[in-house]
Amino acid sequence: MEATGRGLFPNKPTLPAGPRKRGPLLPTAPPPPSPSSLPLDSLLLHLTAAPAPAPVPRRSHPTPTPTQSFLSPAAQALVLAVSSHPLPTLPSYLASRRDELLRSDIPSLLKALELSGRWEWALALLRWAGAEGAVDAAALEMVFRALGREGQHDAVCDLLDEMPLPPGSRLDVRAYTTVLHALSRAGRYERALELFAELRRQGVAPTLVTYNVVLDVYGRMGRSWPRIVALLEEMRAAGVEPDDFTASTVIAACCRDGLVDEAVAFFEDLKARGHTPCVVTYNALLQVFGKAGNYTEALRVLKEMEDSGCQPDAVTYNELAGTYARAGFYEEAAKCLDTMTGKGLLPNTFTYNTVMAAYGNVGKVDEALALFHRMKKSGCVPNVNTYNFILGMLGKKSRFDEMLEMLAEMSRSGCTPNRVTWNTMLAVCGKRGMEDYVTRVLKGMKSCGVELCRDTYNTLIAAYGRCGSRTNAFKMYNEMTSAGFAPCLTTYNALLNVLSRQGDWSTAQSIISKIRTKGFKPNEQSYSLLLQCYAKGGNISGIDAIEKEIYGGAVFPSWVILRTLVIANFKCRRLEGIEKAFEEIKARGYKPDLVIFNSMLSMYAKNGLYSKATEIFDSIRQSGLTPDLITYNSLMDMYAKCSESWEAEKILNQLKSSEVKPDVVSYNTVINGFCKQGLIREAQRILSEMIADGMAPCVVTYHTMVGGYASLDMFSEAREVISYMIQHNLKPMELTYRRVVDSYCKAKRFEEARDFLSVVSVTDPNFDKKVLRMLADRIEDAQFGR
């Protein structure tokens, strides 16, 4: 142990003297990121000044010639006159020829207009005839089919609302099916089901296409598996056998609701009935496993597909890349691009977007940007989703200048920001905890006429949750339901995200129960967020319960869930739990990321398992990952705890000359290590270097120095540091005072201990009287052995 006393320590930093003024030792923490660092006004300007969508060029239609054999010469001339008239003034023109039109066969005129490609004229004629009471079911059927072929789903829905069927009439099954499809695409699911019920009441026999459309309606609605099963049974009872579209539609419905077991059972039943799955069906099943994070089963589906002679297509590899991305295998996702090219398949925008998202998931933004440039160089044009991916990744890394550049490029390319772009901005502001900015973006969104959808509400719930505003998050949930949007699994997960930040596991459990009662199945994100709730709230039994479900096979152990299990056990300091989760990750072939490795390293360091900690550090290098500041701080902490502070200092010096710069924790760790070894001179030297390097000491730094001085009976130095802390309103902790008092008692200097308390009770305005009594009692107990 070093000698003690004043004047013996040439490296001792001199505390600032003079008036109470912030000097070089003032432990000011680095200022938090200022909201002004996010150029929100510029970003909003780019969004609101984005070019309007370029008008879709009207398809040129040949001038109709009166050669329709089903029309009389007079009717042919009438069709030619109507189709040649400009649309804006067509209603008045039709009114001028009212008598002639009403004497004609309206359905035949509509058919002629539709055949000549003039569906808009046909629609205008139908509406005029409807106002004249001259529309029958045949006329409606004609126009419904024409609009369906043109993909004019909104127009079909509007027409259905405008012109209900005349009493006693009915459409044919093709027209009914067209309207059902349009209603499905417009999201009017309940109206579609009402129409389907009406179709059956009218005695119209649904075709295979009709059944497929209704199955799609159920799938899009969600929580409809029992109704899907019942409709499949009705199909077979009617002698209508499912086809490839039926299979892919049903499996896609399972995918939306996370019904993995149901999807597999349906797929196997199809094969047992003699159905040979096609590439579309296999792709749908591949997506089910990919979305569930079960890449091993996804690979099994791919192998079965190839073994059966069904050749994978571009969609297959897109789904495979997405599966790898969700499992954290970004390199494997990127290899899908080369595999596709080698098989003669051209990667499309969706492929590139998927791989970029894989890079983004692991924070490799530069690699994603490099792929973005490769994408453009290959001739593949980025779409709005591409730009949204890039903007989101740049926002997460606070690379706002590049976000502005990307928005400018988006504008130059004529790509108009959509609702997702705005949602991305909401998410960026939420991630940075800027509640006011979230509200500003929301106002900007509304001012631009962007309608809020369920996804926007989900984003708002998550964004306000990240800002710590549980009130606003649940307010958005209530607004969402009031607006008529039914909560989906993403909504409930967003609410769980809010609760996980507060550790409110009791409410989180009620959300999980609600998910199940609403017909959903909790997915990997649901379980991950529930684990976070338990960890934050210190509910060990809750973590145990989920572990039993995972290891018992009730919950699939995806990479996301196991990763969260590692983190949850780390936060609760459960060595056995974290080791079991880590072994499961390796056993399943998952690649641990840096967060997992850092958690393991820190856990081993805190438990004195230094050889295991060193193994983890070596594994980081072997895995091709680059250690970050958390890694090095954990390693320094390990060396400091095992009395190898010189090794900790070596790492600190390496950090100073590297791209990963040390923070206040790095310096504090080394100072603490030297103090615990009684090497106060070295601790003083590191403190001097810390100040010289421009790193402001914090309360913990000074607390550590006080403890170091007190342990060596250097009480005048300890009191000098405390005096400095009080002068600069740094609020010494109760533990700071206790360490000094305990050291005085250990040295049998009880009166000096009482004098110390007497002085600080006067000089420290924040000194708690309860703490004073507790410390005074501590001195009495030590002196008189009570």
Side-chain angles (χ1 to χ4, degrees), residues 1 89 147 268 276 281 292 297 343 353 430 438 455 473 484 532 606:
M1 183 178 291
T89 57
L147 294 174
E268 294 300 329
T276 302
T281 308
E297 281 300 305
K343 290 181 176 288
N353 289 351
V438 173
D455 287 343
Q532 291 177 42
K606 290 180 186 302

Side-chain angles (χ1 to χ4, degrees), residues 13-14 24-26 667 686-697 702:
T14 304
L25 277 181
L26 186 65
Y667 287 98
I686 298 299
L687 177 58
S688 296
E689 291 178 9
M690 180 181 186
I691 297 166
D693 292 339
M695 181 64 64
Y702 290 113

Side-chain angles (χ1 to χ4, degrees), residues 18-194:
R20 297 184 183 182
K21 189 173 173 181
R22 293 185 182 272
L25 277 181
L26 186 65
T28 18
S34 168
S36 61
S37 61
L38 172 62
L40 184 62
D41 293 328
S42 300
L43 292 170
L44 287 175
L45 183 64
H46 275 83
L47 283 172
T48 55
V56 179
R58 188 179 297 282
R59 193 173 62 185
S60 59
H61 300 294
T63 302
T65 52
T67 57
Q68 309 293 353
S69 59
F70 56 85
L71 292 178
S72 66
Q76 291 178 16
L78 186 57
V79 168
L80 181 59
V82 170
S83 61
S84 301
H85 200 86
L87 267 176
T89 57
L90 185 58
S92 58
Y93 176 75
L94 294 174
S96 70
R97 304 190 65 168
R98 177 178 181 277
D99 293 341
E100 186 179 357
L101 285 166
L102 293 178
R103 286 195 301 269
S104 304
D105 181 17
I106 296 293
S108 296
L109 297 180
L110 292 169
K111 181 179 179 181
L113 287 169
E114 192 271 326
L115 289 174
S116 63
R118 298 299 223 202
W119 64 268
E120 290 160 300
W121 280 258
L123 180 58
L125 175 57
L126 181 73
R127 283 180 166 143
W128 177 84
E132 295 290 336
V135 168
D136 58 9
L140 280 170
E141 287 171 0
M142 184 64 63
V143 176
F144 277 143
R145 288 199 293 267
L147 294 174
R149 278 192 290 271
E150 294 291 334
Q152 299 296 320
H153 307 306
D154 289 339
V156 172
C157 296
D158 292 342
L159 192 58
L160 182 67
D161 293 336
E162 290 173 31
M163 296 185 183
L165 283 173
S169 62
R170 70 181 192 184
L171 300 175
D172 65 11
V173 69
R174 287 178 57 201
Y176 271 122
T177 304
T178 299
V179 178
L180 285 169
H181 179 66
L183 290 168
S184 173
R185 286 293 177 268
R188 297 176 59 180
Y189 307 126
E190 293 299 338
R191 181 69 183 92
L193 296 179
E194 288 172 7

Side-chain angles (χ1 to χ4, degrees), residues 83 144 190 252-253 336 381 393 411 475 605 610 665 781:
S83 61
F144 277 143
E190 293 299 338
C336 287
V381 180
M393 284 187 277
S411 179
K475 178 184 174 184
Y610 305 127
V665 175
D781 291 344

Side-chain angles (χ1 to χ4, degrees), residues 423-570:
N423 290 352
T424 300
M425 289 301 304
L426 289 169
V428 167
C429 294
K431 181 176 174 59
R432 292 177 63 79
M434 301 174 178
E435 184 177 349
D436 292 342
Y437 277 40
V438 173
T439 304
R440 282 183 61 189
V441 173
L442 178 59
K443 288 179 179 176
M445 199 173 175
K446 290 178 177 178
S447 69
C448 288
V450 181
E451 293 184 6
L452 273 61
C453 65
R454 185 166 66 181
D455 287 343
T456 306
Y457 280 112
N458 289 341
T459 305
L460 281 165
I461 293 168
Y464 279 123
R466 283 179 176 273
C467 296
S469 179
R470 176 171 175 166
T471 302
N472 274 333
F474 277 85
K475 178 184 174 184
M476 288 297 107
Y477 173 75
N478 293 331
E479 282 188 18
M480 172 184 171
T481 53
S482 298
F485 294 105
C488 62
L489 187 56
T490 305
T491 314
Y492 293 119
N493 283 343
L495 292 174
L496 286 171
N497 197 359
V498 176
L499 300 170
S500 70
R501 295 172 186 281
Q502 300 177 328
D504 186 355
W505 51 266
S506 178
T507 308
Q509 285 178 331
S510 69
I511 294 290
I512 292 290
S513 298
K514 195 169 188 177
I515 287 174
R516 293 191 172 107
T517 57
K518 291 292 183 180
F520 297 111
K521 278 191 175 182
N523 61 8
E524 61 176 16
Q525 188 181 7
S526 313
Y527 286 111
S528 174
L529 291 166
L530 185 58
L531 277 168
Q532 291 177 42
C533 276
Y534 287 142
K536 180 79 174 177
N539 187 341
I540 304 299
S541 60
I543 297 174
D544 283 336
I546 294 183
E547 280 182 335
K548 287 177 183 177
E549 289 190 74
I550 293 170
Y551 299 130
V555 174
F556 177 74
S558 70
W559 182 81
V560 171
I561 289 179
L562 291 175
R563 179 181 186 267
T564 310
L565 198 55
V566 166
I567 297 169
N569 278 299
F570 168 72

